[in-house]
Amino acid sequence: MGYYSRFLDFVERIQRMLTIAFFLATLLAVGFQVFNRLVLQLPILWTTDVSVFCFIWLALLSASTAVRTGAHFRVTAILETARMAGRPRFVLELMAWLAVIALSLVLLVLGANFALSGFQEQSPGLVLPMFWTYVAVPLCSATACLFAVEQMWRLLRNGRLADTQGGQ
């Protein structure tokens, strides 16, 4: 698992850098859009496309990275209210990771078809194929799946999740 974890460390670093870049691009596009509308009274269509596209990438990259750090949405009500421990908790945690992997694989397949359909449509402001926005779904689903496999492997190997979960 050493090479796999190091590879995922690299993927996570790239995703974090892209998240920052898309966040800054969103801020700049929205700021430029507001300035043009309010000060210059000149709405510019392409800034809307840039801000929406960057926000979509930002959200999906963040969701994928959250799977690795354990910050993704999880329903822990059953575990916490029943104060489950030991084998029952392990089984439920394992089922949860299998569900994340299954959902990621479904989104990967459906997202790939969706992304390919994006070649048939163009954004109104940038006049670019929507593929470049839609491809975020399968790419981020693939990395979320890889991160979930790593977490499930840790659970199976250690009998519990890593201590670094959820706090990063």
Side-chain angles (χ1 to χ4, degrees):
M1 198 71 175
Y3 290 116
Y4 185 70
S5 288
R6 280 196 293 262
F7 170 71
L8 293 184
D9 289 342
F10 174 74
V11 170
E12 183 184 358
R13 273 195 305 278
I14 297 288
Q15 283 190 284
R16 287 180 184 269
M17 286 188 287
L18 286 172
T19 300
I20 292 168
F22 283 120
F23 178 73
L24 292 175
T26 302
L27 283 179
L28 289 173
V30 169
F32 186 65
Q33 183 179 38
V34 168
F35 177 79
N36 279 317
R37 284 187 187 207
L38 296 180
V39 176
L40 303 178
Q41 295 183 353
L42 178 67
I44 299 177
L45 186 59
W46 65 264
T47 56
T48 302
D49 282 356
V50 169
S51 60
V52 168
F53 294 173
C54 288
F55 187 76
I56 289 169
W57 273 95
L58 171 67
L60 292 171
L61 285 167
S62 298
S64 173
T65 304
V67 171
R68 183 142 202 241
T69 62
H72 63 291
F73 290 112
R74 293 178 44 193
V75 179
T76 59
I78 296 172
L79 296 174
E80 301 308 321
T81 55
R83 304 215 188 273
M84 294 183 113
R87 192 87 174 141
R89 184 179 186 105
F90 174 82
V91 170
L92 281 176
E93 292 279 0
L94 185 61
M95 288 173 40
W97 284 114
L98 288 171
V100 170
I101 292 168
L103 177 62
S104 297
L105 290 174
V106 167
L107 287 173
L108 173 62
V109 172
L110 296 177
N113 292 332
F114 183 57
L116 291 174
S117 75
F119 281 118
Q120 305 303 317
E121 50 181 301
Q122 290 186 334
S123 66
L126 292 173
V127 194
L128 287 174
M130 292 300 292
F131 168 81
W132 297 110
T133 303
Y134 298 163
V135 76
V137 175
L139 285 178
C140 293
S141 297
T143 57
C145 185
L146 293 174
F147 293 151
V149 166
E150 177 191 38
Q151 295 299 334
M152 191 175 78
W153 175 255
R154 286 182 179 162
L155 177 65
L156 290 170
R157 187 184 65 211
N158 300 333
R160 62 182 175 78
L161 294 175
D163 293 332
T164 59
Q165 291 269 130
Q168 298 177 351

